[in-house]
Amino acid sequence: MADRGYDVVVDVDAEGDLGHTDLQEDLEFHSSNFEDGRYRNKIPSDSNAGFLPPPSGNTPTTSKRFLWSLSFYSQFFDVDTNEVLRRCYAAIFPRANFLDILEGNPDLYGPFWIATTVIMILFLTGTISQYLSRKGEGHFEYDFRLLSGAAGLVYGYTGVIPIALWAVLKWFGSESANLLECWALYGYANLIWIPVALISWSPITILNWVFVGLGFGISALFLFRNLYPVLSATDVKTSKVLLILVVALHAGLAIAIKILFFAHGSPVSKKNKAGGAADDTRFILFRA
């Protein structure tokens, strides 16, 4: 009987006396499910804490998703087109905290395609910018290092910085945002670089700086507004330092975009040789 497992039901009289209980008549045995040792002495662990959002109510709790299975990654893309467009609109015209817009279901679909679109546009407009700056110098050759550079810059920034931010928040004991929410926040913040890249190919350097500055201001304000409540979960000094680092790193991204892809007269431009640098500085504002 010990091998199968039983529930024991004992019939107790009104006075609670067991002394006159006839065990042959009053004891009843019912089969139980305690025979399955997999459910003994186990407390379900919160495996999603700090990394993924908790599963929604309509998700079956018995299903298992392994890291090497496609279903594990499909949960990060569980959004439709209307929801992605709604989140894009909220990123450009913020009226509420973006983490509230996500409603506990952050995605990587929007951030991935936004980053990919930014990379392709940076490559195309950067190529146009180089063509205009070298017009009349003979045969023009495409520089595909712009494409690999854009991929490294955008994917690297969008992928690595949120991990570092999440790790720092975990170090200081903050549970106000998980890693997927940090990825989504930085991913949708890149949306402003699409129109900026489309209009920053002009040979007028000062105009390009204005466009990049506007893109930096809008995206940095978006990050500051949504990260401030998250970083405030730490102490005052730490939150201020982290906010400064977030803005400084984002400024570094903006400067890198301007210099690497729209660099009329910049030190990294191939046209600026050592012998001709002095002559080119006179035309740094208006060059064809």
Side-chain angles (χ1 to χ4, degrees):
M1 183 170 65
D3 294 334
R4 292 189 58 188
Y6 289 87
D7 291 332
V8 179
V9 180
V10 181
D11 186 11
V12 183
D13 56 18
E15 289 79 11
D17 186 10
L18 289 174
H20 302 288
T21 300
D22 187 352
L23 297 180
Q24 298 295 330
E25 298 179 359
D26 296 335
L27 285 180
E28 299 178 9
F29 296 91
H30 302 275
S31 298
S32 69
N33 58 356
F34 295 115
E35 60 192 31
D36 193 349
R38 293 175 300 175
Y39 300 101
R40 292 181 182 177
N41 302 324
K42 287 189 177 181
I43 299 176
S45 59
D46 186 8
S47 60
N48 293 330
F51 180 72
L52 300 175
S56 57
N58 55 0
T59 303
T61 56
T62 57
S63 62
K64 293 183 179 180
R65 293 172 176 172
F66 298 97
L67 185 63
W68 55 85
S69 65
L70 189 61
S71 60
F72 177 83
Y73 298 96
S74 64
Q75 61 182 322
F76 306 144
F77 299 85
D78 188 19
V79 287
D80 55 21
T81 303
N82 291 333
E83 181 62 23
V84 172
L85 292 177
R86 187 177 73 90
R87 295 177 180 186
C88 290
Y89 182 85
I92 298 296
F93 305 101
R95 295 184 179 180
N97 190 288
F98 192 75
L99 296 180
D100 296 333
I101 300 295
L102 296 178
E103 297 177 346
N105 184 34
D107 70 284
L108 295 182
Y109 182 87
F112 172 77
W113 285 112
I114 289 172
T116 303
T117 304
V118 172
I119 291 169
M120 296 305 300
I121 294 178
L122 282 177
F123 169 65
L124 293 175
T125 55
T127 300
I128 295 174
S129 178
Q130 284 191 355
Y131 174 77
L132 293 177
S133 65
R134 300 174 192 176
K135 191 174 182 180
E137 293 185 0
H139 179 68
F140 176 78
E141 296 182 356
Y142 292 96
D143 187 1
F144 285 97
R145 290 178 300 178
L146 288 176
L147 182 60
S148 59
L153 178 65
V154 178
Y155 283 148
Y157 177 82
T158 309
V160 175
I161 299 301
I163 295 177
L165 178 63
W166 171 77
V168 171
L169 291 174
K170 291 287 289 184
W171 175 265
F172 287 100
S174 174
E175 299 288 346
S176 52
N178 57 57
L179 178 57
L180 196 57
E181 288 175 334
C182 293
W183 268 329
L185 189 63
Y186 270 83
Y188 281 99
N190 288 331
L191 187 64
I192 189 62
W193 294 117
I194 295 178
V196 168
L198 286 173
I199 60 178
S200 295
W201 54 267
S202 167
I204 304 177
T205 303
I206 190 63
L207 189 60
N208 294 337
W209 277 111
V210 171
F211 293 150
V212 173
L214 287 175
F216 163 73
I218 295 174
S219 53
L221 181 61
F222 173 79
L223 290 175
F224 182 88
R225 175 177 179 176
N226 293 283
L227 286 177
Y228 181 77
V230 175
L231 301 180
S232 297
T234 61
D235 58 89
V236 177
K237 183 178 180 180
T238 302
S239 63
K240 289 182 178 179
V241 172
L242 291 177
L243 283 173
I244 292 175
L245 285 176
V246 166
V247 176
L249 290 172
H250 202 64
L253 173 68
I255 295 174
I257 289 176
K258 171 62 184 71
I259 292 179
L260 295 178
F261 302 98
F262 312 110
H264 295 287
S266 75
V268 299
S269 178
K270 292 182 179 179
K271 186 176 181 178
N272 280 338
K273 307 287 184 174
D279 295 333
D280 290 340
T281 54
R282 293 177 300 174
F283 307 98
I284 193 171
L285 295 180
F286 298 96
R287 296 181 60 181

